[in-house]
Amino acid sequence: TEDYQVPARFFERTYLTQNLLDLSAQVARRLSGTKVETSAVFNMATQFGGGKTHALTLLYHLANAGPRAAEWRGVPAILKKASVEKMPQAATAVFVGQQFDPRGGDDGTPLRQTPWGEIAYQLGGAEAYDVVSGFDAEGKAPGGDTIRKFLPSDQPALILVDEMMNYVGRNRKSGLADQFYHFLHNLSETARGMDNVVLAVSVPASELEMGAEDFADYGRFTKMLDRVGKAVVMAVE
């Protein structure tokens, strides 16, 4: 709806809880090149309906608009808390696990068969995709050396991952779920070593809707993300 697609409407209707303010300020700082009091990786593991997708939408609008975001309600408070003069404009990539199937190939764009192929393409178009095209075709996760090559060299980058467990469950038998784990681990470590790259991952935490394999994968992914990043709880106020 327009309430989510039109940034000004979105911020007009968004209440900045303390945790939402803290998260957005930390991301603004990191994308600005400041490593102090922030993280490169955020794991939003909380209950369903806990505000994770709302938080990812907020980060997307901020990074996509850059300095123009200062016009929206609440953004001056974010910038003040972040101690930055303006929001940096970043290359953005959004991966939604429940939506993704192989894309392109028949529309003039490269065929993207994996999360890393899609994320590279969103960040830098066909040129960035070429860096991982072999890994995409083989269904093999790229390592840090390759990831650094497809990340933008001339601007910050924000990578958002939502509904991760849906993708993992659908691709467990093909082996892509395991490769996705290695990709997120490698991407996280790469982002931690850079000044202006942020990865935010939404991991649902409803054990009632998980089978044994889902629960095992959930634990594996969550432990990895908590180890390399920062866990965030959104809905507290």
Side-chain angles (χ1 to χ4, degrees):
T1 65
E2 287 191 352
D3 286 347
Y4 280 86
Q5 292 191 52
V6 180
R9 288 173 64 102
F10 177 83
F11 279 87
E12 184 69 27
R13 289 156 176 76
T14 293
Y15 173 69
L16 287 175
T17 65
Q18 188 60 51
N19 282 11
L20 193 54
L21 181 62
D22 288 343
L23 170 67
S24 51
Q26 287 188 58
V27 171
R29 285 173 61 81
R30 189 78 183 199
L31 293 178
S32 298
T34 301
K35 289 186 175 182
V36 180
E37 296 181 359
T38 185
S39 175
V41 181
F42 296 92
N43 171 21
M44 285 176 273
T46 183
Q47 71 281 3
F48 282 102
K52 300 181 298 296
T53 301
H54 196 99
L56 294 176
T57 304
L58 184 146
L59 297 180
Y60 171 81
H61 284 316
L62 284 176
N64 197 45
R68 292 184 292 109
E71 304 171 2
W72 304 329
R73 181 177 179 177
V75 176
I78 294 172
L79 298 178
K80 181 179 179 180
K81 186 170 183 63
S83 298
V84 298
E85 294 184 0
K86 61 182 180 180
M87 184 70 199
Q89 189 163 22
T92 57
V94 180
F95 180 83
V96 182
Q98 70 185 32
Q99 299 290 340
F100 184 78
D101 286 316
R103 296 176 178 175
D106 57 359
D107 60 356
T109 65
L111 174 62
R112 289 97 67 196
Q113 303 180 74
T114 63
W116 41 98
E118 176 66 10
I119 288 171
Y121 180 74
Q122 287 190 35
L123 289 176
E127 183 177 348
Y129 174 78
D130 285 344
V131 175
V132 295
S133 59
F135 294 92
D136 186 65
E138 295 176 12
K140 177 183 175 182
D145 288 347
T146 300
I147 291 172
R148 274 185 287 273
K149 291 178 182 177
F150 75 67
L151 291 172
S153 59
D154 57 348
Q155 67 179 136
L158 173 68
I159 301 167
L160 308 175
V161 177
D162 199 10
E163 299 293 346
M164 183 196 76
M165 288 304 300
N166 183 291
Y167 178 83
V168 170
R170 291 192 294 119
N171 290 275
R172 189 175 290 118
K173 291 183 179 180
S174 70
L176 276 174
D178 284 338
Q179 291 301 311
F180 186 44
Y181 173 89
H182 294 306
F183 170 64
L184 277 184
H185 189 191
N186 297 342
L187 177 60
S188 298
E189 294 290 2
T190 302
R192 292 173 68 193
M194 302 182 73
D195 293 338
N196 57 358
V197 176
V198 172
L199 168 66
V201 182
S202 163
V203 184
S206 176
E207 298 177 13
L208 296 176
E209 298 188 14
M210 292 186 189
E213 292 179 312
D214 292 325
F215 189 72
D217 280 331
Y218 167 76
R220 183 168 61 126
F221 276 85
T222 300
K223 287 178 182 177
M224 181 268 290
L225 290 168
D226 285 347
R227 185 174 68 251
V228 299
K230 182 175 184 178
V232 180
V233 178
M234 302 314 308
V236 291
E237 296 176 47

